[in-house]
């Protein structure tokens, strides 16, 4: 600490070079906090999109169905469907943080349009009122959403994904015939009116997806059945706590039930997360190397230019450790001041980018453009600051070694 | 001040050689010398005669290839690096031809520096540095940085820095080399006053004829050997 003030004063010797070095450190810090902000916002956005796109926070499904296809599978075999689940739903909805519990019944089969086109579909029978309470979002592109009340027989309606609607050649108001086998293996047919056209946000799924009211799906494949119960929470952060509570609530149910958190079902989320983490560390490594190279050159110049002065300081009793501390302190000041400037720039840049409302092209496989938005990640700001201090300490190693090894006599005679 | 009889600085057959390209240069070729505490002496001689080399060895800045250098009876060649650093910090002072002040520090801060190294508290440092600057006639220049001082003033600051920790000896290498004759004379007066008032030993390497003429003991080097020593002759 004794030399910290002297090190700070030394930065004023060559103001232009100090300013350039600070700019390099600030730019490195800025790159890290912006990237971290983008990654964090993307993670949060993707997680919420998946949860509120129909995954829910938790899934309660027959353990046999989960074992049969794995926790990550989105479809649950009809032969393991739940029956008599209404009482369980009531108990689950009474738990803390649970916003609603919606029953889903998955159906698969063939859909036939009015012109005779037949396309295989995957559908889900859902409860629109529960879906609304769970915050599920439907991306309606034409027509209207399903009514919340169960349809009367002969008045069933469906939301058809854009790709499937295109293949069937249907628009809102048209009738589509759905063919599916029920739990007993018999083939059933159901005529449904196209209420609206939607997108799931995923091109591949859009080519096959449709949604019915739970009651309509039950008429097609089995009265009273549900493939699973989806649990929506009031906040995603409560997932862990709610998971434990729901598992406790379903313990002892027969047939046994499994509770699967959204993180285990959203394989795509984990893949994206791993990809972004890889990109972030790759970028971090590049920034680290660039800043080390740029600043080590500056610090080496600093030592070279002050050889006689360093020799004088050694001559009048400055120890090698004290000299090393002084040069290291100069480097750390550069790291501290530069990274603080980078953090301030980062705060301003994040605010500016978020306010600008910039749109980015849809990610691969997605349908809609996405907003370019960045999150403030306090850990990233602190981490970038600490990283820059470490970078400057590493950059100072060679100059420090040179300074402490110098011969006093040679240094005093240095020109 | 009258010098005491015990030698503060002593060399015994000191040899120092340097490599210069493929050849070897002998800077000091067997120097025997004693400097008593409280003495003021000049080391004179032409360029390359070994004046600066002798000061470097006496100041624990360099090591002899042969012979011994003793300070207060301790063999400098037997001291560890840290002990030599502490010796320079506490018992020696240095004045250089080019002043070698720290440019980003004020006159007061430059003089404080040796005390800072030794962990002296801020208030005590300030008081002692200000007193020393007052003693060298720079009480009105405490806050000035070196680039705002004249050559003579800078050398006075350097002298104050060399003396602020009350060393036993000050080694000055061409202290008037960068000064005009009038300023050089004033610096010499100052050194003589400080020698008398503080009892500090001064050993000054110089070719300044005026300085040589005014100093009671003159040691003359040529080709790395002492060819005349008024002190020894006396």
């Amino acid at each position: 600490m004794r030399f910290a003030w002297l090190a700070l004063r030394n930065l004023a010797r060559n103001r232009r070079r100090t300013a350039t070095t600070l700019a390099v450190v600030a730019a490195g810090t800025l790159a890290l906090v912006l990237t971290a902000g983008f990654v964090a916002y993307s993670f949060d956005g993707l997680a919420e999109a998946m949860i509120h796109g129909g995954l829910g926070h938790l899934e309660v499904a027959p353990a046999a169905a989960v074992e049969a296809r794995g926790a990550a599978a989105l479809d649950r075999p009809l032969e393991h469907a739940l029956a008599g689940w209404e009482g369980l739903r009531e108990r689950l909805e009474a738990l803390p943080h649970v916003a609603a519990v919606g029953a889903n019944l998955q159906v698969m089969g063939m859909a036939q349009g009015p012109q005779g086109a037949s396309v295989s579909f995957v559908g889900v029978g859902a409860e629109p009122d529960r879906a609304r309470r769970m915050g599920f979002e439907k991306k309606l592109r034409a027509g209207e959403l399903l009514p919340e009340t169960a349809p009367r027989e002969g008045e069933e309606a469906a939301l058809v994904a854009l790709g499937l609607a295109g293949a069937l050649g249907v628009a809102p108001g048209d009738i589509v015939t759905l063919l599916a086998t029920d739990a007993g293996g018999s083939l059933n047919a159901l005529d449904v009116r196209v209420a609206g056209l939607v997108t799931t946000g995923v091109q591949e799924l859009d080519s096959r997806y449709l949604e019915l009211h739970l009651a309509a799906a039950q008429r097609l494949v089995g009265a009273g059945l549900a493939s699973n119960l989806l649990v929506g929470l009031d906040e995603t952060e409560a997932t862990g706590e709610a998971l434990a509570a729901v598992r406790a609530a379903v313990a002892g149910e027969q047939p046994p039930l499994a509770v699967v958190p959204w993180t285990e079902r959203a394989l795509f989320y984990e893949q994206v997360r791993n990809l972004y983490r890889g990109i972030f560390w790759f970028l971090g490594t590049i920034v680290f190397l660039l800043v080390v190279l740029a600043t080590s050159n500056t610090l080496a110049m600093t030592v070279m230019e002050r050889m006689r002065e360093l020799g004088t300081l050694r001559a009048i009793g400055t120890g090698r450790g004290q000299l090393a501390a002084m040069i290291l302190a100069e480097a750390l000041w550069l790291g501290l001041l530069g990274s603080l400037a980078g953090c301030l720039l980062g705060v301003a840049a994040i605010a500016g980018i978020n306010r600008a409302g910039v749109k980015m092209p849809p990610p691969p496989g997605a349908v809609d453009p996405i907003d370019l938005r960045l999150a403030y990640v306090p850990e990233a700001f602190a981490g970038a600051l600490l990283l820059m201090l470490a970078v400057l300490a590493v950059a100072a190693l060679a100059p420090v070694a040179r300074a402490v090894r110098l011969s006093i006599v040679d240094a005093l005679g240095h020109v | 001040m009258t010098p005491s009889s015990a030698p503060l600085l002593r060399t015994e057959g000191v040899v120092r050689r340097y490599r210069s390209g493929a050849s070897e240069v002998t800077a000091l070729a067997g120097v025997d010398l004693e400097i008593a505490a409280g003495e003021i002496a000049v080391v004179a001689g032409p360029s390359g005669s070994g004046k600066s080399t002798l000061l470097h060895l006496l100041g624990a800045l360099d090591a002899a290839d042969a012979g011994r250098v003793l300070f207060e009876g301790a063999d400098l060649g037997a001291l560890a690096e840290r002990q030599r650093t502490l010796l320079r910090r506490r018992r020696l002072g240095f004045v250089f031809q080019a002043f070698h002040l720290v440019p980003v520090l004020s006159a007061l801060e430059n003089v404080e520096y040796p005390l800072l190294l030794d962990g002296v508290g801020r208030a005590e440092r300030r008081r002692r540095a200000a007193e020393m600057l007052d003693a060298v006639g720079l009480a009105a220049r405490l806050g000035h940085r070196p680039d705002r001082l004249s050559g003579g003033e800078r050398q006075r600051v350097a002298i104050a820095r060399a003396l602020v920790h009350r060393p036993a000896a000050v080694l000055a290498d061409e202290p008037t080399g960068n000064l005009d004759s009038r300023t050089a004379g004033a610096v010499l007066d100052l050194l003589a006053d400080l020698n008398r008032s503080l009892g500090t030993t001064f050993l000054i390497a110089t070719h300044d004829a005026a300085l040589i003429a005014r100093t009671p003991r003159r040691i003359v080097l040529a080709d790395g050997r002492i060819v005349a020593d008024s002190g020894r002759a006396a």
Side-chain angles (χ1 to χ4, degrees):
Chain A
M1 286 303 292
R2 200 180 298 169
F3 295 98
W5 64 279
L6 180 55
L8 185 60
R9 302 270 286 269
N10 278 333
L11 296 185
R13 286 166 186 260
N14 190 327
R15 286 165 198 258
R16 182 179 296 181
R17 188 165 62 209
T18 298
T20 304
T21 309
L22 290 175
V24 168
V25 177
T29 308
L30 181 64
L32 291 176
V33 297
L34 292 186
T35 306
F38 175 72
V39 169
Y41 187 84
S42 300
F43 286 172
D44 288 349
L46 184 61
E48 294 302 324
M50 299 194 85
I51 291 165
H52 295 112
L55 214 52
H57 290 94
L58 302 171
E59 179 198 29
V60 179
V66 173
E67 284 166 16
R69 296 284 170 86
L74 295 178
D75 61 312
R76 301 297 180 207
L78 195 57
E79 64 263 33
H80 298 299
L82 293 166
W85 42 267
E86 290 83 356
L88 173 62
R89 194 233 309 260
E90 269 184 44
R91 280 190 285 127
L92 295 181
E93 285 190 331
L95 293 174
H97 293 296
V98 175
V101 177
N104 273 357
L105 180 59
Q106 292 159 355
V107 290
M108 286 183 287
M110 296 294 291
Q112 191 172 45
Q115 284 86 38
S118 292
V119 181
S120 65
F121 74 90
V122 291
V124 62
E127 298 176 290
D129 60 329
R130 292 297 204 294
R132 177 179 50 75
R133 282 164 53 190
M134 287 192 283
F136 286 7
E137 293 162 357
K138 288 281 168 289
K139 294 175 180 172
L140 189 68
R141 293 291 185 264
E144 59 190 19
L145 295 173
L146 295 176
E148 293 194 352
T149 53
R152 286 184 291 198
E153 284 200 42
E155 292 181 2
E156 288 87 356
L159 295 174
V160 182
L162 290 171
L164 179 61
L168 292 170
V170 295
D174 290 341
I175 300 297
V176 174
T177 301
L178 304 179
L179 297 169
T181 52
D182 65 16
S186 304
L187 187 63
N188 280 346
L190 185 70
D191 285 340
V192 296
R193 180 181 56 84
V194 177
L197 303 184
V198 295
T199 176
T200 62
V202 180
Q203 282 176 349
E204 194 180 345
L205 192 55
D206 270 4
S207 64
R208 297 176 65 204
Y209 181 79
L210 61 79
E211 185 173 323
L212 305 165
H213 193 286
L214 175 67
Q218 287 173 334
R219 280 168 204 153
L220 189 59
V221 297
L225 297 180
S227 304
N228 57 18
L229 299 178
L230 294 183
V231 181
L233 305 177
D234 53 6
E235 53 182 348
T236 301
E237 288 70 24
T239 301
E241 183 186 338
L243 175 64
V246 171
R247 277 185 173 153
V250 305
E253 287 284 331
Q254 289 300 330
L257 297 177
V259 185
V260 184
W262 68 271
T263 46
E264 290 182 24
R265 301 183 71 205
L267 279 186
F268 178 66
Y269 174 80
E270 275 308 310
Q271 288 164 353
V272 170
R273 204 173 157 90
N274 289 337
L275 173 69
Y276 275 21
R277 276 184 180 150
I279 292 172
F280 181 75
W281 284 110
F282 180 69
L283 179 82
T285 305
I286 290 176
V287 168
F288 182 90
L289 292 175
L290 285 177
V291 178
V292 164
L293 287 174
T295 54
S296 60
N297 183 51
T298 301
L299 293 169
M301 293 277 287
T302 301
V303 168
M304 283 295 292
E305 287 173 1
R306 283 156 46 192
M307 209 51 109
R308 287 177 77 171
E309 182 183 315
L310 296 176
T312 305
L313 296 181
R314 289 279 289 125
I316 64 177
T318 308
R320 284 181 167 150
Q322 291 171 318
L323 200 64
M326 197 186 308
I327 295 167
L328 185 63
E330 281 186 45
L332 294 179
W333 274 121
L334 286 170
L336 181 66
L337 297 175
S339 55
L340 284 176
C343 287
L344 290 176
L345 287 172
V347 170
I350 289 171
I353 290 169
N354 289 349
R355 203 170 18 239
V358 179
K359 293 277 185 190
M360 288 180 65
V367 176
D368 294 328
I370 57 171
D371 290 332
L372 174 60
R373 293 186 70 83
L374 308 176
Y376 291 100
V377 186
E379 295 86 353
F381 282 81
L385 193 147
L386 291 175
L387 178 69
M388 287 302 150
L389 291 178
V391 165
L392 269 293
V394 169
L397 288 179
V400 163
R402 185 185 172 95
V404 298
R405 280 203 310 262
L406 63 82
S407 148
I408 299 174
V409 172
D410 290 345
L412 289 173
H414 188 83
V415 180
Chain B
M1 185 170 176
T2 307
S4 72
S5 55
L8 179 73
L9 291 159
R10 178 173 175 167
T11 66
E12 297 173 352
V14 164
V15 176
R16 183 70 175 107
R17 301 184 196 92
Y18 293 109
R19 294 212 67 82
S20 177
S23 61
E24 191 173 76
V25 176
T26 301
L28 293 176
V31 170
D32 296 298
L33 178 68
E34 285 187 1
I35 305 290
E39 198 172 1
I40 182 164
V42 292
V43 181
S47 294
S49 59
K51 302 187 296 295
S52 294
T53 302
L54 180 60
L55 256 59
H56 291 157
L57 293 174
L58 291 169
L61 302 177
D62 198 6
D65 294 309
R68 296 204 304 164
V69 181
L70 297 106
F71 181 88
E72 295 178 324
D75 182 355
L76 298 186
L79 298 181
E81 168 61 31
R82 175 166 169 70
Q83 290 172 304
R84 285 201 297 274
T85 299
L86 288 175
L87 178 80
R88 291 195 300 270
R89 186 187 301 171
R90 293 173 179 165
R91 302 296 294 153
L92 289 166
F94 294 87
V95 179
F96 303 97
Q97 179 177 354
F99 325 127
H100 291 182
L101 300 175
V102 180
V104 294
L105 300 183
S106 68
L108 185 69
E109 289 164 338
N110 265 288
V111 177
E112 274 186 66
Y113 184 83
L115 303 176
L116 174 76
L117 290 176
D118 225 13
V120 177
R122 179 184 163 84
E124 173 73 1
R125 287 200 314 261
R126 296 245 142 179
R127 184 186 63 75
R128 286 168 62 180
E131 278 178 10
M132 191 50 66
L133 281 166
D134 187 30
V136 300
L138 288 176
R141 295 280 193 274
L142 302 185
H144 287 56
R145 290 197 181 180
D147 60 354
R148 307 294 301 275
L149 299 171
S150 69
E153 287 173 330
R154 287 184 212 181
Q155 198 58 298
R156 284 165 183 262
V157 174
I159 291 167
R161 181 178 66 181
L163 286 161
V164 70
H165 53 299
R166 297 300 167 95
V170 170
L171 305 173
D173 194 358
E174 301 282 6
T176 58
N178 278 358
L179 305 177
D180 60 60
S181 58
R182 188 159 151 267
T183 309
V187 167
L188 294 180
D189 291 341
L190 175 63
L191 295 179
D193 285 348
L194 293 169
N195 170 249
R196 277 192 297 275
S197 59
L198 302 176
T200 309
T201 303
F202 282 88
L203 185 61
I204 305 163
T206 184
H207 349 50
D208 183 335
L211 174 52
I212 294 166
R214 288 181 47 173
T215 309
R217 183 174 176 193
R218 295 177 288 280
I219 301 152
V220 182
L221 282 176
D223 297 327
R225 296 176 192 280
I226 295 176
V227 294
D229 182 348
S230 61
R232 185 182 288 170

